[in-house]
Amino acid sequence: MDNEKKYNYYKETNDRIYEQLTFAEAKNGVLVGLYTAIIFGLINLFFECLPCWGKIILSISLGFMTIGMIICLLSFIPNVKTLKNERNLFFWGDIAKLSDFNEYDSLINKEEILLENLAKQNIHVAKIVAKKNKIFSISINYLFAGIFPLHIIGTIIITIKLLKKK
């Protein structure tokens, strides 16, 4: 494969990877918002007239929700290093370290470096996307673990109300 075809392939792949990065960020952002709403709702419910066992189960749910939210927030910590700390002309942090246009332009004119840098950037950003998706999966499991105790509370309350009606 000649260099132009390689570059086009790497560039198209780079665009798709960045789309996935944007999607992963959006998913985690929505999940943090959901966690925030649920946690504040549970805190308000905690101060209602609940029996002791209800507050215990609610505390368990709040614990799972808080842990899940913290894990989800970890996905927003920016990764500011390139692979193996090498200079990469597709990474904004490395471009910012260059002294002037002439230095940047002279590096860009080396076709082999561009191809290698773009391929390395694809690998690096793909790993970031994989990490964000893994964090999302872990965090969503904590959401379900936090909802399950709430389901128990609801079931018990409904059962008690039905038994009182008899």
Side-chain angles (χ1 to χ4, degrees):
M1 186 182 293
D2 68 342
N3 283 347
E4 185 176 339
K5 285 182 182 178
K6 274 186 182 180
Y7 179 80
N8 289 335
Y9 170 78
Y10 289 156
K11 183 66 179 134
E12 287 176 26
T13 302
N14 186 269
D15 292 343
R16 284 193 302 274
I17 292 169
Y18 273 96
E19 287 172 9
Q20 291 299 312
L21 179 63
T22 303
F23 182 61
E25 289 280 332
K27 285 190 316 187
N28 287 324
V30 168
L31 192 56
V32 167
L34 180 63
Y35 269 125
T36 303
I38 292 172
I39 288 171
F40 280 112
L42 292 178
I43 289 171
N44 286 335
L45 186 62
F46 191 79
F47 294 108
E48 296 289 323
C49 294
L50 288 177
C52 183
W53 56 266
K55 288 188 177 192
I56 291 170
I57 293 176
L58 200 59
S59 297
I60 293 169
S61 285
L62 272 169
F64 279 116
M65 297 285 179
T66 303
I67 291 169
M69 185 166 141
I70 290 169
I71 290 170
C72 197
L73 286 171
L74 292 175
S75 75
F76 294 108
I77 297 173
N79 187 342
V80 294
K81 295 181 181 176
T82 56
L83 289 173
K84 301 178 184 171
N85 293 322
E86 297 172 3
R87 183 184 347 208
N88 188 323
L89 296 175
F90 288 91
F91 175 58
W92 60 268
D94 289 341
I95 295 171
K97 292 176 188 173
L98 298 175
S99 60
D100 61 11
F101 167 77
N102 291 330
E103 182 182 6
Y104 185 47
D105 191 51
S106 69
L107 289 170
I108 286 178
N109 288 328
K110 298 176 184 173
E111 198 171 308
E112 307 81 40
I113 290 176
L114 275 183
L115 283 174
E116 183 180 326
N117 282 191
L118 185 55
K120 287 180 179 180
Q121 184 71 3
N122 286 351
I123 292 167
H124 185 63
V125 177
K127 287 180 180 183
I128 292 171
V129 171
K131 180 181 174 185
K132 287 181 182 294
N133 285 326
K134 186 176 185 177
I135 287 173
F136 178 82
S137 295
I138 292 168
S139 188
I140 203 85
N141 283 311
Y142 274 92
L143 177 69
F144 292 132
I147 290 172
F148 183 70
L150 295 176
H151 179 69
I152 293 170
I153 289 176
T155 303
I156 292 171
I157 290 172
I158 290 170
T159 304
I160 291 171
K161 285 182 179 181
L162 289 173
L163 289 175
K164 284 185 178 180
K165 286 183 179 181
K166 287 185 178 182

